[in-house]
Amino acid sequence: MAQTITEKIFSQHVGKKVFAGEIVRSNIDMVIGNDITTPISIKAFDESGATKLANPDGFSIVLDHFIPAKDIASANQARISRDFAKKHNLKNFFDEKDMGIEHALLPEKGLIVPGDVIIGADSHTCTHGALGAFSTGMGSTDLAFAMITGGNWFKVPQTIKVNLSGKPQKHTTGKDIILEIIRLIGVDGALYKTLEFTGSTIEHLNMDDRFSMCNMAIEAGAKSGIVAYDDVTAEFLSDKKLAREPRIHYSDADASYVEILNIDVAKLEPVIAYPFLPSNGHSITQAVKDNIKIDQAFIGSCTNGRLGDLKVASEILKGHKVHEDVRLIVTPGTQQILKDAYKLGYIDILIDAGGVVSNPTCGACLGGYMGILGDGEVAVSTTNRNFVGRMGSRSSKVYLANSAVAAISAIKGYIADPRVK
């Protein structure tokens, strides 16, 4: 029988042909924890009586949510992971010495490889499917089980084929494509399914776009998002020392899909997700008509904190100033992205325009620190969620957008169209 790429990845890992709906025990290539979720996993690991990791080189801890520590509690929490990493001589441990948001940092390090099965105790672990891997979020105790055994149980998900056609317009990005998909199918439209992104549009999408799309698959309820390996993937990986040999899979032409969604991307303009759901999408044209004044523009996160985001923001902000009533906060995804952005002049432009550039952190995205919204404040943000109170006060509002929209809005003082000067 024909198989999807997801079915093939699991088949390769379990040693027999498997299909959607089957319950399988699969080994895991990379287990990912962060400073919030890993301490719970470590506690479960220790309470189980385990003394060593089943696959030390396949376990990564990335301190990225509250690092550098924002308070005593976060400092103590981080110490649990530091002590565990030291005790087990963990090779893939990342803190202030080599900072990055986990879903940007690990691909950059070559630790995510096509054909992998990956889990992380963070819902946006699905980001890594952009490299042709199966990647999904699980709970902290699931993480502990994988730390102890090297594997876990999975229900092989059904797949929704997202057929994207046409070349995107200028300033229509992967972020807009996924926001449109979520608008069409809702926040539970892909519940426990894989969103497989395919079609003629894919060749026009760089890795930044693909990471954004897979990152937000969870916002449609999906178990994972995936893009098959191609020349763009190969180019991204070409300068990296990969942790494993890639295992490249493609869906069969006659594979079985639970649904096929067709989208003409050539007709798609930038999409803005209004509060309080990522599915509440509206066109940028409508947003401009609605004259949505903002207090803060945020560019960053595991969704849009990559070098391409800083590039487009700097191109728009060059020679301009951030509106007097607006705060512009920029968070690069990794230290390497920050260094590259400095070399290319992006950071100088962003700072000269009136923006503030922070270290890599998830802080603002989850309403943790370095970008909190006050009562009644409004933000346009390149993050992935706009639930009530997501970035601060429960009376604040977050509008999700791409980096170009966030940059031009920071100049104008209201949500604006980057296609219009």
PDB file of all heavy atoms in Angstrom, residues 29-58:
ATOM      1  N   ASP A  29      15.002  10.059  17.830  1.00  0.00           N
ATOM      2  CA  ASP A  29      16.333  10.549  17.473  1.00  0.00           C
ATOM      3  C   ASP A  29      16.760  11.745  18.315  1.00  0.00           C
ATOM      4  O   ASP A  29      17.948  11.906  18.619  1.00  0.00           O
ATOM      5  CB  ASP A  29      16.360  10.924  15.991  1.00  0.00           C
ATOM      6  CG  ASP A  29      16.069   9.735  15.100  1.00  0.00           C
ATOM      7  OD1 ASP A  29      16.930   8.862  14.991  1.00  0.00           O
ATOM      8  OD2 ASP A  29      14.948   9.671  14.538  1.00  0.00           O
ATOM      9  N   MET A  30      15.801  12.614  18.647  1.00  0.00           N
ATOM     10  CA  MET A  30      16.142  13.783  19.451  1.00  0.00           C
ATOM     11  C   MET A  30      15.010  14.105  20.404  1.00  0.00           C
ATOM     12  O   MET A  30      13.856  14.258  19.994  1.00  0.00           O
ATOM     13  CB  MET A  30      16.441  15.004  18.567  1.00  0.00           C
ATOM     14  CG  MET A  30      16.829  16.258  19.337  1.00  0.00           C
ATOM     15  SD  MET A  30      18.258  16.034  20.461  1.00  0.00           S
ATOM     16  CE  MET A  30      19.590  15.752  19.287  1.00  0.00           C
ATOM     17  N   VAL A  31      15.350  14.187  21.681  1.00  0.00           N
ATOM     18  CA  VAL A  31      14.431  14.580  22.753  1.00  0.00           C
ATOM     19  C   VAL A  31      14.864  15.969  23.211  1.00  0.00           C
ATOM     20  O   VAL A  31      16.047  16.202  23.487  1.00  0.00           O
ATOM     21  CB  VAL A  31      14.496  13.577  23.925  1.00  0.00           C
ATOM     22  CG1 VAL A  31      13.595  14.030  25.067  1.00  0.00           C
ATOM     23  CG2 VAL A  31      14.124  12.178  23.454  1.00  0.00           C
ATOM     24  N   ILE A  32      13.900  16.890  23.294  1.00  0.00           N
ATOM     25  CA  ILE A  32      14.232  18.299  23.562  1.00  0.00           C
ATOM     26  C   ILE A  32      13.500  18.780  24.813  1.00  0.00           C
ATOM     27  O   ILE A  32      12.280  18.634  24.928  1.00  0.00           O
ATOM     28  CB  ILE A  32      13.843  19.202  22.380  1.00  0.00           C
ATOM     29  CG1 ILE A  32      14.414  18.662  21.064  1.00  0.00           C
ATOM     30  CG2 ILE A  32      14.313  20.633  22.627  1.00  0.00           C
ATOM     31  CD1 ILE A  32      13.822  19.333  19.829  1.00  0.00           C
ATOM     32  N   GLY A  33      14.248  19.376  25.727  1.00  0.00           N
ATOM     33  CA  GLY A  33      13.651  19.993  26.906  1.00  0.00           C
ATOM     34  C   GLY A  33      14.097  21.430  27.042  1.00  0.00           C
ATOM     35  O   GLY A  33      15.118  21.836  26.482  1.00  0.00           O
ATOM     36  N   ASN A  34      13.340  22.222  27.790  1.00  0.00           N
ATOM     37  CA  ASN A  34      13.727  23.606  28.045  1.00  0.00           C
ATOM     38  C   ASN A  34      13.691  23.893  29.542  1.00  0.00           C
ATOM     39  O   ASN A  34      13.421  23.011  30.355  1.00  0.00           O
ATOM     40  CB  ASN A  34      12.853  24.587  27.250  1.00  0.00           C
ATOM     41  CG  ASN A  34      11.379  24.483  27.606  1.00  0.00           C
ATOM     42  OD1 ASN A  34      10.993  24.533  28.771  1.00  0.00           O
ATOM     43  ND2 ASN A  34      10.535  24.340  26.586  1.00  0.00           N
ATOM     44  N   ASP A  35      13.969  25.132  29.922  1.00  0.00           N
ATOM     45  CA  ASP A  35      14.113  25.465  31.335  1.00  0.00           C
ATOM     46  C   ASP A  35      12.808  25.388  32.117  1.00  0.00           C
ATOM     47  O   ASP A  35      12.829  25.254  33.344  1.00  0.00           O
ATOM     48  CB  ASP A  35      14.759  26.848  31.504  1.00  0.00           C
ATOM     49  CG  ASP A  35      14.117  27.921  30.648  1.00  0.00           C
ATOM     50  OD1 ASP A  35      13.850  27.648  29.467  1.00  0.00           O
ATOM     51  OD2 ASP A  35      13.911  29.042  31.143  1.00  0.00           O
ATOM     52  N   ILE A  36      11.670  25.442  31.450  1.00  0.00           N
ATOM     53  CA  ILE A  36      10.387  25.324  32.140  1.00  0.00           C
ATOM     54  C   ILE A  36       9.979  23.864  32.292  1.00  0.00           C
ATOM     55  O   ILE A  36       9.545  23.428  33.363  1.00  0.00           O
ATOM     56  CB  ILE A  36       9.290  26.106  31.382  1.00  0.00           C
ATOM     57  CG1 ILE A  36       9.549  27.609  31.482  1.00  0.00           C
ATOM     58  CG2 ILE A  36       7.910  25.781  31.944  1.00  0.00           C
ATOM     59  CD1 ILE A  36       8.525  28.453  30.765  1.00  0.00           C
ATOM     60  N   THR A  37      10.123  23.094  31.235  1.00  0.00           N
ATOM     61  CA  THR A  37       9.576  21.733  31.219  1.00  0.00           C
ATOM     62  C   THR A  37      10.545  20.666  31.716  1.00  0.00           C
ATOM     63  O   THR A  37      10.122  19.650  32.271  1.00  0.00           O
ATOM     64  CB  THR A  37       9.145  21.367  29.784  1.00  0.00           C
ATOM     65  OG1 THR A  37      10.279  21.481  28.903  1.00  0.00           O
ATOM     66  CG2 THR A  37       8.035  22.288  29.302  1.00  0.00           C
ATOM     67  N   THR A  38      11.844  20.873  31.540  1.00  0.00           N
ATOM     68  CA  THR A  38      12.804  19.825  31.870  1.00  0.00           C
ATOM     69  C   THR A  38      12.892  19.495  33.361  1.00  0.00           C
ATOM     70  O   THR A  38      13.058  18.317  33.709  1.00  0.00           O
ATOM     71  CB  THR A  38      14.197  20.184  31.320  1.00  0.00           C
ATOM     72  OG1 THR A  38      14.092  20.522  29.942  1.00  0.00           O
ATOM     73  CG2 THR A  38      15.156  19.015  31.467  1.00  0.00           C
ATOM     74  N   PRO A  39      12.804  20.482  34.260  1.00  0.00           N
ATOM     75  CA  PRO A  39      12.855  20.118  35.683  1.00  0.00           C
ATOM     76  C   PRO A  39      11.799  19.084  36.082  1.00  0.00           C
ATOM     77  O   PRO A  39      12.079  18.212  36.928  1.00  0.00           O
ATOM     78  CB  PRO A  39      12.636  21.455  36.392  1.00  0.00           C
ATOM     79  CG  PRO A  39      13.216  22.469  35.454  1.00  0.00           C
ATOM     80  CD  PRO A  39      12.832  21.953  34.094  1.00  0.00           C
ATOM     81  N   ILE A  40      10.622  19.132  35.501  1.00  0.00           N
ATOM     82  CA  ILE A  40       9.583  18.138  35.783  1.00  0.00           C
ATOM     83  C   ILE A  40      10.025  16.775  35.259  1.00  0.00           C
ATOM     84  O   ILE A  40       9.842  15.744  35.918  1.00  0.00           O
ATOM     85  CB  ILE A  40       8.253  18.557  35.137  1.00  0.00           C
ATOM     86  CG1 ILE A  40       7.836  19.947  35.618  1.00  0.00           C
ATOM     87  CG2 ILE A  40       7.153  17.539  35.451  1.00  0.00           C
ATOM     88  CD1 ILE A  40       6.671  20.543  34.839  1.00  0.00           C
ATOM     89  N   SER A  41      10.617  16.766  34.075  1.00  0.00           N
ATOM     90  CA  SER A  41      11.124  15.520  33.493  1.00  0.00           C
ATOM     91  C   SER A  41      12.248  14.929  34.333  1.00  0.00           C
ATOM     92  O   SER A  41      12.314  13.713  34.544  1.00  0.00           O
ATOM     93  CB  SER A  41      11.626  15.772  32.068  1.00  0.00           C
ATOM     94  OG  SER A  41      10.630  16.347  31.255  1.00  0.00           O
ATOM     95  N   ILE A  42      13.125  15.789  34.807  1.00  0.00           N
ATOM     96  CA  ILE A  42      14.242  15.333  35.635  1.00  0.00           C
ATOM     97  C   ILE A  42      13.737  14.710  36.933  1.00  0.00           C
ATOM     98  O   ILE A  42      14.237  13.667  37.384  1.00  0.00           O
ATOM     99  CB  ILE A  42      15.213  16.500  35.915  1.00  0.00           C
ATOM    100  CG1 ILE A  42      15.933  16.899  34.618  1.00  0.00           C
ATOM    101  CG2 ILE A  42      16.220  16.139  37.002  1.00  0.00           C
ATOM    102  CD1 ILE A  42      16.735  18.179  34.714  1.00  0.00           C
ATOM    103  N   LYS A  43      12.729  15.330  37.532  1.00  0.00           N
ATOM    104  CA  LYS A  43      12.143  14.777  38.753  1.00  0.00           C
ATOM    105  C   LYS A  43      11.579  13.381  38.501  1.00  0.00           C
ATOM    106  O   LYS A  43      11.817  12.442  39.280  1.00  0.00           O
ATOM    107  CB  LYS A  43      11.057  15.703  39.274  1.00  0.00           C
ATOM    108  CG  LYS A  43      10.424  15.227  40.581  1.00  0.00           C
ATOM    109  CD  LYS A  43       9.340  16.191  41.056  1.00  0.00           C
ATOM    110  CE  LYS A  43       8.702  15.684  42.356  1.00  0.00           C
ATOM    111  NZ  LYS A  43       7.616  16.578  42.818  1.00  0.00           N
ATOM    112  N   ALA A  44      10.838  13.227  37.392  1.00  0.00           N
ATOM    113  CA  ALA A  44      10.273  11.919  37.051  1.00  0.00           C
ATOM    114  C   ALA A  44      11.375  10.909  36.743  1.00  0.00           C
ATOM    115  O   ALA A  44      11.278   9.729  37.121  1.00  0.00           O
ATOM    116  CB  ALA A  44       9.323  12.059  35.854  1.00  0.00           C
ATOM    117  N   PHE A  45      12.413  11.363  36.059  1.00  0.00           N
ATOM    118  CA  PHE A  45      13.565  10.505  35.746  1.00  0.00           C
ATOM    119  C   PHE A  45      14.197   9.977  37.042  1.00  0.00           C
ATOM    120  O   PHE A  45      14.428   8.770  37.197  1.00  0.00           O
ATOM    121  CB  PHE A  45      14.584  11.326  34.939  1.00  0.00           C
ATOM    122  CG  PHE A  45      15.838  10.599  34.560  1.00  0.00           C
ATOM    123  CD1 PHE A  45      15.923   9.925  33.350  1.00  0.00           C
ATOM    124  CD2 PHE A  45      16.948  10.608  35.401  1.00  0.00           C
ATOM    125  CE1 PHE A  45      17.093   9.270  32.980  1.00  0.00           C
ATOM    126  CE2 PHE A  45      18.120   9.959  35.048  1.00  0.00           C
ATOM    127  CZ  PHE A  45      18.189   9.286  33.838  1.00  0.00           C
ATOM    128  N   ASP A  46      14.462  10.870  37.991  1.00  0.00           N
ATOM    129  CA  ASP A  46      15.097  10.479  39.247  1.00  0.00           C
ATOM    130  C   ASP A  46      14.187   9.574  40.078  1.00  0.00           C
ATOM    131  O   ASP A  46      14.654   8.576  40.666  1.00  0.00           O
ATOM    132  CB  ASP A  46      15.473  11.721  40.052  1.00  0.00           C
ATOM    133  CG  ASP A  46      16.625  12.499  39.431  1.00  0.00           C
ATOM    134  OD1 ASP A  46      17.379  11.903  38.631  1.00  0.00           O
ATOM    135  OD2 ASP A  46      16.753  13.703  39.723  1.00  0.00           O
ATOM    136  N   GLU A  47      12.891   9.906  40.128  1.00  0.00           N
ATOM    137  CA  GLU A  47      11.960   9.110  40.927  1.00  0.00           C
ATOM    138  C   GLU A  47      11.767   7.702  40.366  1.00  0.00           C
ATOM    139  O   GLU A  47      11.396   6.783  41.097  1.00  0.00           O
ATOM    140  CB  GLU A  47      10.616   9.824  41.032  1.00  0.00           C
ATOM    141  CG  GLU A  47      10.666  11.065  41.924  1.00  0.00           C
ATOM    142  CD  GLU A  47       9.343  11.802  41.982  1.00  0.00           C
ATOM    143  OE1 GLU A  47       8.445  11.484  41.157  1.00  0.00           O
ATOM    144  OE2 GLU A  47       9.194  12.704  42.835  1.00  0.00           O
ATOM    145  N   SER A  48      12.040   7.522  39.071  1.00  0.00           N
ATOM    146  CA  SER A  48      11.906   6.201  38.452  1.00  0.00           C
ATOM    147  C   SER A  48      13.041   5.260  38.863  1.00  0.00           C
ATOM    148  O   SER A  48      12.948   4.046  38.666  1.00  0.00           O
ATOM    149  CB  SER A  48      11.891   6.328  36.924  1.00  0.00           C
ATOM    150  OG  SER A  48      13.205   6.574  36.421  1.00  0.00           O
ATOM    151  N   GLY A  49      14.099   5.831  39.389  1.00  0.00           N
ATOM    152  CA  GLY A  49      15.276   5.039  39.729  1.00  0.00           C
ATOM    153  C   GLY A  49      16.298   4.966  38.610  1.00  0.00           C
ATOM    154  O   GLY A  49      17.339   4.307  38.752  1.00  0.00           O
ATOM    155  N   ALA A  50      16.023   5.651  37.505  1.00  0.00           N
ATOM    156  CA  ALA A  50      16.969   5.648  36.383  1.00  0.00           C
ATOM    157  C   ALA A  50      18.270   6.330  36.783  1.00  0.00           C
ATOM    158  O   ALA A  50      18.271   7.297  37.561  1.00  0.00           O
ATOM    159  CB  ALA A  50      16.348   6.353  35.180  1.00  0.00           C
ATOM    160  N   THR A  51      19.348   5.840  36.251  1.00  0.00           N
ATOM    161  CA  THR A  51      20.658   6.410  36.572  1.00  0.00           C
ATOM    162  C   THR A  51      21.398   6.949  35.351  1.00  0.00           C
ATOM    163  O   THR A  51      22.387   7.661  35.491  1.00  0.00           O
ATOM    164  CB  THR A  51      21.551   5.355  37.255  1.00  0.00           C
ATOM    165  OG1 THR A  51      21.687   4.218  36.388  1.00  0.00           O
ATOM    166  CG2 THR A  51      20.949   4.926  38.586  1.00  0.00           C
ATOM    167  N   LYS A  52      20.931   6.581  34.153  1.00  0.00           N
ATOM    168  CA  LYS A  52      21.594   7.091  32.955  1.00  0.00           C
ATOM    169  C   LYS A  52      20.584   7.268  31.828  1.00  0.00           C
ATOM    170  O   LYS A  52      19.539   6.612  31.783  1.00  0.00           O
ATOM    171  CB  LYS A  52      22.724   6.168  32.510  1.00  0.00           C
ATOM    172  CG  LYS A  52      22.289   4.774  32.109  1.00  0.00           C
ATOM    173  CD  LYS A  52      23.502   3.945  31.662  1.00  0.00           C
ATOM    174  CE  LYS A  52      23.074   2.557  31.196  1.00  0.00           C
ATOM    175  NZ  LYS A  52      24.226   1.767  30.713  1.00  0.00           N
ATOM    176  N   LEU A  53      20.925   8.158  30.928  1.00  0.00           N
ATOM    177  CA  LEU A  53      20.094   8.418  29.756  1.00  0.00           C
ATOM    178  C   LEU A  53      20.259   7.297  28.742  1.00  0.00           C
ATOM    179  O   LEU A  53      21.378   6.816  28.515  1.00  0.00           O
ATOM    180  CB  LEU A  53      20.486   9.749  29.111  1.00  0.00           C
ATOM    181  CG  LEU A  53      20.223  11.002  29.945  1.00  0.00           C
ATOM    182  CD1 LEU A  53      21.032  12.173  29.412  1.00  0.00           C
ATOM    183  CD2 LEU A  53      18.726  11.339  29.932  1.00  0.00           C
ATOM    184  N   ALA A  54      19.155   6.886  28.126  1.00  0.00           N
ATOM    185  CA  ALA A  54      19.215   5.822  27.126  1.00  0.00           C
ATOM    186  C   ALA A  54      20.012   6.254  25.903  1.00  0.00           C
ATOM    187  O   ALA A  54      20.727   5.450  25.308  1.00  0.00           O
ATOM    188  CB  ALA A  54      17.797   5.414  26.716  1.00  0.00           C
ATOM    189  N   ASN A  55      19.887   7.529  25.543  1.00  0.00           N
ATOM    190  CA  ASN A  55      20.562   8.034  24.348  1.00  0.00           C
ATOM    191  C   ASN A  55      21.051   9.450  24.635  1.00  0.00           C
ATOM    192  O   ASN A  55      20.421  10.426  24.236  1.00  0.00           O
ATOM    193  CB  ASN A  55      19.613   8.016  23.145  1.00  0.00           C
ATOM    194  CG  ASN A  55      20.259   8.539  21.866  1.00  0.00           C
ATOM    195  OD1 ASN A  55      21.485   8.643  21.773  1.00  0.00           O
ATOM    196  ND2 ASN A  55      19.431   8.881  20.888  1.00  0.00           N
ATOM    197  N   PRO A  56      22.168   9.589  25.336  1.00  0.00           N
ATOM    198  CA  PRO A  56      22.638  10.924  25.751  1.00  0.00           C
ATOM    199  C   PRO A  56      22.818  11.902  24.592  1.00  0.00           C
ATOM    200  O   PRO A  56      22.490  13.087  24.723  1.00  0.00           O
ATOM    201  CB  PRO A  56      23.980  10.622  26.436  1.00  0.00           C
ATOM    202  CG  PRO A  56      23.906   9.192  26.832  1.00  0.00           C
ATOM    203  CD  PRO A  56      23.067   8.512  25.790  1.00  0.00           C
ATOM    204  N   ASP A  57      23.336  11.412  23.472  1.00  0.00           N
ATOM    205  CA  ASP A  57      23.575  12.305  22.335  1.00  0.00           C
ATOM    206  C   ASP A  57      22.275  12.697  21.637  1.00  0.00           C
ATOM    207  O   ASP A  57      22.257  13.614  20.818  1.00  0.00           O
ATOM    208  CB  ASP A  57      24.521  11.654  21.327  1.00  0.00           C
ATOM    209  CG  ASP A  57      25.933  11.546  21.862  1.00  0.00           C
ATOM    210  OD1 ASP A  57      26.234  12.173  22.903  1.00  0.00           O
ATOM    211  OD2 ASP A  57      26.748  10.830  21.244  1.00  0.00           O
ATOM    212  N   GLY A  58      21.193  12.002  21.970  1.00  0.00           N
ATOM    213  CA  GLY A  58      19.883  12.320  21.412  1.00  0.00           C
ATOM    214  C   GLY A  58      19.005  13.066  22.390  1.00  0.00           C
ATOM    215  O   GLY A  58      17.763  13.016  22.291  1.00  0.00           O
TER     216      GLY A  58
END
